[in-house]
Amino acid sequence: MKRVKVLVVGAGVVGLSTAVCVAETLPYCSVTVIAEKFSPDTTGDGAAGILLPKEFPDIPLERQKRWFKESFDHLLAIADSPQASDAGVYLSSGYQIFKDIPSDKKPFWSDFVFGFRYMTDREMKRFPNHKFGQAFTTIKCECLNYLPWLEKRFRAVGGQIIHEKVTDLHKLALNYDAIMNCSGLDSRFLVKDEEVYPIRGQILKVSAPWLKNFIRDGDGNTYIYPGIRYVSIGGTRQAEDWRLEVDKEDSEGILERCCRLEPSLRGAQVMCEWVGLRPGRANPRVEHEYLHLQGRQVPLVHNYGHGGCGVTLSWGTALDALDLLRQSLFEKPPQARL
Ligand SMILES: Cc1cc2nc3c(=O)[nH]c(=O)nc-3n(C[C@H](O)[C@H](O)[C@H](O)COP(=O)(O)OP(=O)(O)OC[C@H]3O[C@@H](n4cnc5c(N)ncnc54)[C@H](O)[C@@H]3O)c2cc1C
Ligand SMILES: O=C([O-])CC(=O)C(=O)O
């Protein structure tokens, strides 16, 4: 009997991962996802979806390693299964190159990807403006496939979906035993967290089926990611910039920088241009508190603020959010709803 009603706010890669984790792990919970936007209109749908972490300043490194390893291993199992093409999850190999030798040549995630090594002098000759490079195989998770696939998996275990904008979490909490907030950038308004801010990202999707390996400049501003339908080339990282319109100058800059790294892109046809707002935050917020209403305390588990790493850390942070939910339900068992 499903006696605990859990509501997940958000149907991006973070919300759907969280909803699937809870619905598949806690048989006593009935789980509903409520969101204003679903695939193909969430931030992850336009993202390249490469699994590549960055280091957050105030989260213990062991926790960050766990977030990445769990996400990588979860997606690797999908990539290795007959579900891979439906889910849009596959291995992707390539290079990260640096104009200056980075202080951390062997980053914390290097043991979790496959075949991490420094590039040879011969390989580096292809990139005369760069001094150092890393070669490795990671995973690419294309949300245009992965999110509908996750949604199907969620429905298969009885998950419910509501298509609606939420304006007041307290009102919703009258009808649920726990709420999980996966509203990304909109947490700025929904839970009034002023630490979340937009980091605008513009990319172009080009047709260049001859490209097989990714190339990323370590500064994070220029990258080329071959994918299933197209090659994503980027990018921009404009903090506090809320514009969702395509900026012509940004597109020109992206093409120019990417063609410098990969001259064969000069002949590539641009299929579309896309802008998304990363949910920036110094550190992702994966923690819980309680909403107080009419004598009841309703657990509120937050899972948002992943910046440019939402796909990269989606499963690991969802598992942490699941633990926080379990802990909060155990600390304060559901109290009678009105
Ligand atoms: C150009 C670009 C490239 C990127 N490339 C990568 C990459 O290669 N690898 C990687 O790991 N990450 C990448 N990212 C980052 C990644 O896309 C994000 O971190 C991730 O998509 C965030 O997911 P989310 O579920 O937290 O938020 P979102 O996808 O923004 O989803 C938020 C959800 O909450 C819902 N919501 C919000 N407020 C409300 C409300 N009030 N009521 C109802 N619903 C609400 C929305 O409707 C939506 O369903 C990239 C981002 C950009 C912009
Ligand atoms: O940085 C990258 O390589 C891709 C990415 O995650 C982003 O643009 O946010």
Side-chain angles (χ1 to χ4, degrees):
M1 157 98 173
K2 294 185 189 289
R3 57 193 166 81
V4 179
K5 287 179 72 180
V6 177
L7 183 71
V8 177
V9 181
V13 67
V14 173
L16 282 183
S17 302
T18 303
V20 169
C21 279
V22 175
E24 290 185 353
T25 313
L26 305 182
Y28 54 84
C29 288
S30 75
V31 186
T32 302
V33 167
I34 187 166
E36 186 183 10
K37 291 183 181 162
F38 286 79
S39 181
D41 299 320
T42 76
T43 313
D45 286 290
I50 198 79
L51 262 65
L52 189 59
K54 64 161 256 195
E55 194 171 328
F56 296 103
D58 307 312
I59 309 252
L61 200 55
E62 284 313 307
R63 192 177 189 203
Q64 299 189 49
K65 282 186 182 173
R66 185 160 41 79
W67 283 349
F68 180 56
K69 185 176 185 308
E70 284 169 348
S71 304
F72 191 94
D73 290 350
H74 156 77
L75 290 167
L76 180 63
I78 298 170
D80 283 344
S81 79
Q83 303 277 316
S85 70
D86 265 3
V89 179
Y90 53 94
L91 292 172
S92 178
S93 302
Y95 307 111
Q96 175 159 238
I97 52 178
F98 296 81
K99 290 187 198 81
D100 295 304
I101 297 179
S103 53
D104 190 9
K105 285 162 75 171
K106 192 173 181 301
F108 76 88
W109 45 265
S110 58
D111 289 336
F112 303 129
V113 295
F114 288 151
F116 181 93
R117 63 174 174 81
Y118 300 152
M119 287 165 68
T120 63
D121 290 347
R122 246 184 104 214
E123 286 171 311
M124 288 307 298
K125 277 210 178 102
R126 294 183 62 209
F127 308 106
N129 297 320
H130 293 76
K131 290 198 179 109
F132 172 78
Q134 302 155 339
F136 53 93
T137 297
T138 184
I139 289 173
K140 196 161 181 298
C141 168
E142 301 207 0
C143 286
L144 273 176
N145 289 61
Y146 183 60
L147 295 186
W149 182 85
L150 268 187
E151 192 181 314
K152 222 192 273 171
R153 190 164 149 174
F154 176 61
R155 287 185 192 274
V157 286
Q160 306 284 311
I161 302 256
I162 302 174
H163 205 132
E164 202 175 297
K165 185 177 171 87
V166 175
T167 49
D168 185 346
L169 285 183
H170 282 84
K171 245 193 224 160
L172 276 183
L174 292 171
N175 295 313
Y176 290 90
D177 297 306
I179 296 190
M180 305 187 82
N181 170 31
C182 308
S183 60
L185 178 60
D186 283 11
S187 287
R188 190 175 171 101
F189 311 109
L190 198 58
V191 296
K192 305 200 172 19
D193 180 351
E194 295 200 345
E195 289 181 44
V196 203
Y197 63 96
I199 307 175
R200 182 178 178 279
Q202 182 165 321
I203 56 174
L204 311 184
K205 298 170 183 184
V206 305
S207 172
W210 57 88
L211 292 183
K212 303 295 175 207
N213 294 318
F214 67 78
I215 306 171
R216 178 184 201 267
D217 191 310
D219 67 12
N221 288 322
T222 307
Y223 48 72
I224 299 165
Y225 290 117
I228 298 171
R229 303 169 182 79
Y230 42 71
V231 180
S232 300
I233 69 170
T236 68
R237 275 172 209 279
Q238 295 137 316
E240 301 287 359
D241 188 339
W242 290 88
R243 286 175 307 141
L244 279 167
E245 309 78 47
V246 169
D247 181 313
K248 275 277 157 250
E249 273 181 34
D250 284 344
S251 290
E252 284 162 18
I254 289 167
L255 262 176
E256 178 56 36
R257 281 180 278 123
C258 289
C259 287
R260 239 180 279 148
L261 288 187
E262 177 54 63
S264 74
L265 279 172
R266 291 240 180 256
Q269 188 197 343
V270 176
M271 297 160 71
C272 71
E273 298 157 295
W274 180 82
V275 175
L277 303 180
R278 302 176 185 86
R281 202 172 187 276
N283 305 282
R285 186 176 183 202
V286 188
E287 58 188 42
H288 77 288
E289 59 176 319
Y290 292 91
L291 290 172
H292 300 270
L293 65 157
Q294 301 177 354
R296 284 171 68 225
Q297 292 193 321
V298 176
L300 172 61
V301 178
H302 299 286
N303 185 8
Y304 65 85
H306 298 61
C309 294
V311 186
T312 302
L313 303 177
S314 53
W315 200 257
T317 54
L319 286 172
D320 260 18
L322 164 69
D323 275 352
L324 291 171
L325 173 71
R326 225 182 332 217
Q327 197 181 312
S328 57
L329 289 172
F330 179 71
E331 275 169 12
K332 297 189 200 295
Q335 293 156 312
R337 289 187 295 274
L338 287 178

mmCIF file of all heavy atoms in Angstrom, residues 137-159:
data_model
loop_
_atom_site.group_PDB
_atom_site.id
_atom_site.type_symbol
_atom_site.label_atom_id
_atom_site.label_comp_id
_atom_site.label_asym_id
_atom_site.label_seq_id
_atom_site.Cartn_x
_atom_site.Cartn_y
_atom_site.Cartn_z
ATOM 1 N N THR A 137 37.695 8.709 -22.377
ATOM 2 C CA THR A 137 36.366 8.318 -22.848
ATOM 3 C C THR A 137 35.386 8.550 -21.708
ATOM 4 O O THR A 137 35.596 8.061 -20.591
ATOM 5 C CB THR A 137 36.355 6.825 -23.240
ATOM 6 O OG1 THR A 137 37.269 6.649 -24.326
ATOM 7 C CG2 THR A 137 34.970 6.368 -23.668
ATOM 8 N N THR A 138 34.337 9.329 -21.995
ATOM 9 C CA THR A 138 33.303 9.534 -20.988
ATOM 10 C C THR A 138 31.962 9.100 -21.599
ATOM 11 O O THR A 138 31.932 8.309 -22.546
ATOM 12 C CB THR A 138 33.305 10.991 -20.465
ATOM 13 O OG1 THR A 138 32.323 11.101 -19.423
ATOM 14 C CG2 THR A 138 33.040 12.015 -21.558
ATOM 15 N N ILE A 139 30.872 9.626 -21.044
ATOM 16 C CA ILE A 139 29.546 9.249 -21.548
ATOM 17 C C ILE A 139 28.863 10.502 -22.068
ATOM 18 O O ILE A 139 29.066 11.600 -21.533
ATOM 19 C CB ILE A 139 28.723 8.605 -20.412
ATOM 20 C CG1 ILE A 139 29.304 7.231 -20.087
ATOM 21 C CG2 ILE A 139 27.246 8.491 -20.776
ATOM 22 C CD1 ILE A 139 28.719 6.564 -18.897
ATOM 23 N N LYS A 140 28.074 10.333 -23.118
ATOM 24 C CA LYS A 140 27.227 11.414 -23.604
ATOM 25 C C LYS A 140 25.788 10.959 -23.415
ATOM 26 O O LYS A 140 25.417 9.850 -23.819
ATOM 27 C CB LYS A 140 27.538 11.731 -25.064
ATOM 28 C CG LYS A 140 26.984 13.078 -25.509
ATOM 29 C CD LYS A 140 27.691 13.549 -26.781
ATOM 30 C CE LYS A 140 27.211 14.903 -27.264
ATOM 31 N NZ LYS A 140 25.811 14.965 -27.628
ATOM 32 N N CYS A 141 25.012 11.800 -22.773
ATOM 33 C CA CYS A 141 23.630 11.450 -22.450
ATOM 34 C C CYS A 141 22.738 12.515 -23.072
ATOM 35 O O CYS A 141 22.701 13.650 -22.592
ATOM 36 C CB CYS A 141 23.486 11.430 -20.928
ATOM 37 S SG CYS A 141 21.794 11.350 -20.349
ATOM 38 N N GLU A 142 22.071 12.171 -24.149
ATOM 39 C CA GLU A 142 21.297 13.163 -24.897
ATOM 40 C C GLU A 142 19.878 13.238 -24.322
ATOM 41 O O GLU A 142 19.070 12.311 -24.475
ATOM 42 C CB GLU A 142 21.296 12.811 -26.379
ATOM 43 C CG GLU A 142 22.718 12.774 -26.919
ATOM 44 C CD GLU A 142 22.824 13.071 -28.398
ATOM 45 O OE1 GLU A 142 21.793 13.312 -29.061
ATOM 46 O OE2 GLU A 142 23.964 13.058 -28.899
ATOM 47 N N CYS A 143 19.602 14.362 -23.685
ATOM 48 C CA CYS A 143 18.335 14.483 -22.946
ATOM 49 C C CYS A 143 17.108 14.431 -23.847
ATOM 50 O O CYS A 143 16.025 14.066 -23.378
ATOM 51 C CB CYS A 143 18.351 15.749 -22.101
ATOM 52 S SG CYS A 143 19.407 15.572 -20.650
ATOM 53 N N LEU A 144 17.273 14.773 -25.127
ATOM 54 C CA LEU A 144 16.118 14.683 -26.043
ATOM 55 C C LEU A 144 15.595 13.244 -26.095
ATOM 56 O O LEU A 144 14.410 13.013 -26.321
ATOM 57 C CB LEU A 144 16.523 15.124 -27.454
ATOM 58 C CG LEU A 144 16.437 16.613 -27.754
ATOM 59 C CD1 LEU A 144 16.964 16.891 -29.154
ATOM 60 C CD2 LEU A 144 15.015 17.140 -27.602
ATOM 61 N N ASN A 145 16.488 12.273 -25.910
ATOM 62 C CA ASN A 145 16.078 10.873 -25.816
ATOM 63 C C ASN A 145 15.882 10.456 -24.360
ATOM 64 O O ASN A 145 14.934 9.751 -24.017
ATOM 65 C CB ASN A 145 17.169 9.945 -26.385
ATOM 66 C CG ASN A 145 17.283 10.027 -27.880
ATOM 67 O OD1 ASN A 145 17.567 11.079 -28.417
ATOM 68 N ND2 ASN A 145 17.055 8.917 -28.552
ATOM 69 N N TYR A 146 16.849 10.866 -23.532
ATOM 70 C CA TYR A 146 16.917 10.336 -22.166
ATOM 71 C C TYR A 146 15.715 10.755 -21.313
ATOM 72 O O TYR A 146 15.187 9.950 -20.550
ATOM 73 C CB TYR A 146 18.230 10.813 -21.530
ATOM 74 C CG TYR A 146 18.499 10.309 -20.135
ATOM 75 C CD1 TYR A 146 18.593 8.940 -19.875
ATOM 76 C CD2 TYR A 146 18.676 11.196 -19.074
ATOM 77 C CE1 TYR A 146 18.856 8.480 -18.588
ATOM 78 C CE2 TYR A 146 18.950 10.746 -17.793
ATOM 79 C CZ TYR A 146 19.035 9.379 -17.552
ATOM 80 O OH TYR A 146 19.298 8.927 -16.281
ATOM 81 N N LEU A 147 15.253 11.999 -21.484
ATOM 82 C CA LEU A 147 14.150 12.448 -20.624
ATOM 83 C C LEU A 147 12.836 11.710 -20.930
ATOM 84 O O LEU A 147 12.172 11.231 -20.008
ATOM 85 C CB LEU A 147 13.985 13.972 -20.680
ATOM 86 C CG LEU A 147 15.185 14.767 -20.119
ATOM 87 C CD1 LEU A 147 14.867 16.257 -20.077
ATOM 88 C CD2 LEU A 147 15.591 14.290 -18.740
ATOM 89 N N PRO A 148 12.448 11.568 -22.218
ATOM 90 C CA PRO A 148 11.250 10.756 -22.485
ATOM 91 C C PRO A 148 11.419 9.308 -22.014
ATOM 92 O O PRO A 148 10.475 8.693 -21.524
ATOM 93 C CB PRO A 148 11.104 10.820 -24.013
ATOM 94 C CG PRO A 148 11.837 12.054 -24.417
ATOM 95 C CD PRO A 148 12.950 12.225 -23.424
ATOM 96 N N TRP A 149 12.648 8.797 -22.121
ATOM 97 C CA TRP A 149 12.919 7.415 -21.672
ATOM 98 C C TRP A 149 12.742 7.322 -20.153
ATOM 99 O O TRP A 149 12.123 6.382 -19.637
ATOM 100 C CB TRP A 149 14.338 7.041 -22.112
ATOM 101 C CG TRP A 149 14.759 5.646 -21.786
ATOM 102 C CD1 TRP A 149 14.526 4.522 -22.521
ATOM 103 C CD2 TRP A 149 15.497 5.227 -20.635
ATOM 104 N NE1 TRP A 149 15.075 3.428 -21.892
ATOM 105 C CE2 TRP A 149 15.677 3.836 -20.735
ATOM 106 C CE3 TRP A 149 16.023 5.884 -19.524
ATOM 107 C CZ2 TRP A 149 16.369 3.087 -19.768
ATOM 108 C CZ3 TRP A 149 16.708 5.146 -18.562
ATOM 109 C CH2 TRP A 149 16.869 3.777 -18.694
ATOM 110 N N LEU A 150 13.273 8.323 -19.431
ATOM 111 C CA LEU A 150 13.126 8.330 -17.961
ATOM 112 C C LEU A 150 11.658 8.470 -17.564
ATOM 113 O O LEU A 150 11.204 7.849 -16.612
ATOM 114 C CB LEU A 150 13.883 9.513 -17.363
ATOM 115 C CG LEU A 150 15.319 9.349 -16.900
ATOM 116 C CD1 LEU A 150 15.781 10.621 -16.194
ATOM 117 C CD2 LEU A 150 15.496 8.144 -15.974
ATOM 118 N N GLU A 151 10.938 9.302 -18.337
ATOM 119 C CA GLU A 151 9.522 9.529 -18.013
ATOM 120 C C GLU A 151 8.736 8.213 -18.153
ATOM 121 O O GLU A 151 7.886 7.885 -17.332
ATOM 122 C CB GLU A 151 8.940 10.621 -18.931
ATOM 123 C CG GLU A 151 7.583 11.093 -18.454
ATOM 124 C CD GLU A 151 6.971 12.164 -19.356
ATOM 125 O OE1 GLU A 151 7.688 13.122 -19.727
ATOM 126 O OE2 GLU A 151 5.778 12.030 -19.679
ATOM 127 N N LYS A 152 9.092 7.458 -19.207
ATOM 128 C CA LYS A 152 8.425 6.155 -19.412
ATOM 129 C C LYS A 152 8.718 5.223 -18.233
ATOM 130 O O LYS A 152 7.846 4.532 -17.713
ATOM 131 C CB LYS A 152 8.944 5.539 -20.723
ATOM 132 C CG LYS A 152 7.847 4.905 -21.561
ATOM 133 C CD LYS A 152 8.388 4.059 -22.671
ATOM 134 C CE LYS A 152 8.687 4.815 -23.950
ATOM 135 N NZ LYS A 152 9.402 4.002 -24.943
ATOM 136 N N ARG A 153 9.990 5.232 -17.814
ATOM 137 C CA ARG A 153 10.412 4.377 -16.692
ATOM 138 C C ARG A 153 9.667 4.783 -15.412
ATOM 139 O O ARG A 153 9.251 3.934 -14.620
ATOM 140 C CB ARG A 153 11.934 4.563 -16.539
ATOM 141 C CG ARG A 153 12.593 3.607 -15.613
ATOM 142 C CD ARG A 153 14.108 3.626 -15.835
ATOM 143 N NE ARG A 153 14.757 3.339 -14.570
ATOM 144 C CZ ARG A 153 16.063 3.169 -14.410
ATOM 145 N NH1 ARG A 153 16.879 3.254 -15.426
ATOM 146 N NH2 ARG A 153 16.573 2.912 -13.229
ATOM 147 N N PHE A 154 9.458 6.079 -15.251
ATOM 148 C CA PHE A 154 8.739 6.608 -14.087
ATOM 149 C C PHE A 154 7.274 6.169 -14.108
ATOM 150 O O PHE A 154 6.735 5.676 -13.115
ATOM 151 C CB PHE A 154 8.860 8.142 -14.100
ATOM 152 C CG PHE A 154 8.098 8.846 -13.014
ATOM 153 C CD1 PHE A 154 8.386 8.613 -11.674
ATOM 154 C CD2 PHE A 154 7.090 9.758 -13.332
ATOM 155 C CE1 PHE A 154 7.690 9.279 -10.672
ATOM 156 C CE2 PHE A 154 6.396 10.423 -12.342
ATOM 157 C CZ PHE A 154 6.697 10.185 -11.009
ATOM 158 N N ARG A 155 6.654 6.295 -15.280
ATOM 159 C CA ARG A 155 5.234 5.895 -15.388
ATOM 160 C C ARG A 155 5.072 4.394 -15.161
ATOM 161 O O ARG A 155 4.066 3.938 -14.613
ATOM 162 C CB ARG A 155 4.675 6.273 -16.760
ATOM 163 C CG ARG A 155 4.436 7.768 -16.942
ATOM 164 C CD ARG A 155 3.772 7.995 -18.299
ATOM 165 N NE ARG A 155 3.742 9.392 -18.692
ATOM 166 C CZ ARG A 155 2.791 10.263 -18.334
ATOM 167 N NH1 ARG A 155 1.791 9.870 -17.551
ATOM 168 N NH2 ARG A 155 2.823 11.502 -18.760
ATOM 169 N N ALA A 156 6.096 3.627 -15.589
ATOM 170 C CA ALA A 156 6.001 2.159 -15.477
ATOM 171 C C ALA A 156 5.934 1.693 -14.024
ATOM 172 O O ALA A 156 5.440 0.603 -13.749
ATOM 173 C CB ALA A 156 7.199 1.514 -16.183
ATOM 174 N N VAL A 157 6.427 2.522 -13.094
ATOM 175 C CA VAL A 157 6.318 2.134 -11.682
ATOM 176 C C VAL A 157 5.204 2.919 -10.991
ATOM 177 O O VAL A 157 5.198 3.091 -9.770
ATOM 178 C CB VAL A 157 7.656 2.296 -10.907
ATOM 179 C CG1 VAL A 157 8.629 1.202 -11.305
ATOM 180 C CG2 VAL A 157 8.266 3.668 -11.116
ATOM 181 N N GLY A 158 4.287 3.434 -11.780
ATOM 182 C CA GLY A 158 3.098 4.085 -11.206
ATOM 183 C C GLY A 158 3.220 5.576 -10.992
ATOM 184 O O GLY A 158 2.324 6.197 -10.385
ATOM 185 N N GLY A 159 4.306 6.184 -11.474
ATOM 186 C CA GLY A 159 4.489 7.627 -11.288
ATOM 187 C C GLY A 159 3.410 8.440 -12.004
ATOM 188 O O GLY A 159 2.956 8.063 -13.080
#
